[in-house]
Amino acid sequence: MGSVRVERTEDGFVARNESGAEITMGSGDGLFSPVELLLAAVGGCNVMTVEPLTAKRGHRLVRLAVEVSADKESPTLLRSVTVTYDVELPPEDSGEVFEAVAERVHERHCTVSRSLQRGTEVRLDLGR
């Protein structure tokens, strides 16, 4: 799997991946906070996995989006994350394929959601 480097800049912080893509983050207007990026990762993982799997079964969704929200247990700990789909199906589609795929993605395929649910270990290396 890849890695991401995060460093302080004059304007806040920037995360860069190995292919050169960048995301600026911080706590000001127009910036994503780290928790918001985590929620975006959960949502992105789900919809980016649902889309090709439903299309592969011949079901092209008219609209596919998710709203991802979190509840805090304490100031520095999330209690739960909720992924709410906003989907428009084609007129002839009953939604059964979408629902089955979305549930399977949630249970077995989305690395980000599954890692959060399992409680992935995060190690600290102080680089000394």
Side-chain angles (χ1 to χ4, degrees), residues 6-127:
V6 179
E7 61 184 305
R8 186 188 67 224
T9 66
E10 295 290 324
D11 301 324
F13 297 85
V14 66
R16 288 186 188 87
N17 68 12
E18 294 173 334
S19 66
E22 295 184 355
I23 295 177
T24 303
M25 63 181 130
S27 58
D29 289 339
L31 298 172
F32 278 99
S33 73
V35 172
E36 290 168 332
L37 289 173
L38 177 70
L39 299 179
V42 169
C45 184
N46 276 274
V47 297
M48 291 173 66
T49 308
V50 164
E51 170 65 23
L53 293 176
T54 54
K56 185 177 182 181
R57 286 159 183 77
H59 295 259
R60 177 77 176 149
L61 303 171
V62 176
R63 182 181 63 252
L64 174 60
V66 292
E67 179 83 23
V68 185
S69 59
D71 292 319
K72 283 193 166 189
E73 183 171 308
S74 68
T76 60
L77 184 64
L78 297 179
R79 176 181 330 130
S80 63
V81 174
T82 302
V83 178
T84 304
Y85 276 86
D86 177 14
V87 176
E88 182 180 343
L89 303 168
E92 68 283 353
D93 195 329
S94 70
E96 291 176 16
V97 169
F98 161 72
E99 290 173 9
V101 168
E103 287 178 13
R104 191 168 50 254
V105 165
H106 173 71
E107 293 169 4
R108 292 188 257 168
H109 297 291
C110 177
T111 303
V112 179
S113 294
R114 294 189 72 235
S115 296
L116 286 175
Q117 288 177 320
R118 186 172 180 186
T120 301
E121 178 183 5
V122 178
R123 298 182 189 124
L124 181 63
D125 177 350
L126 297 176

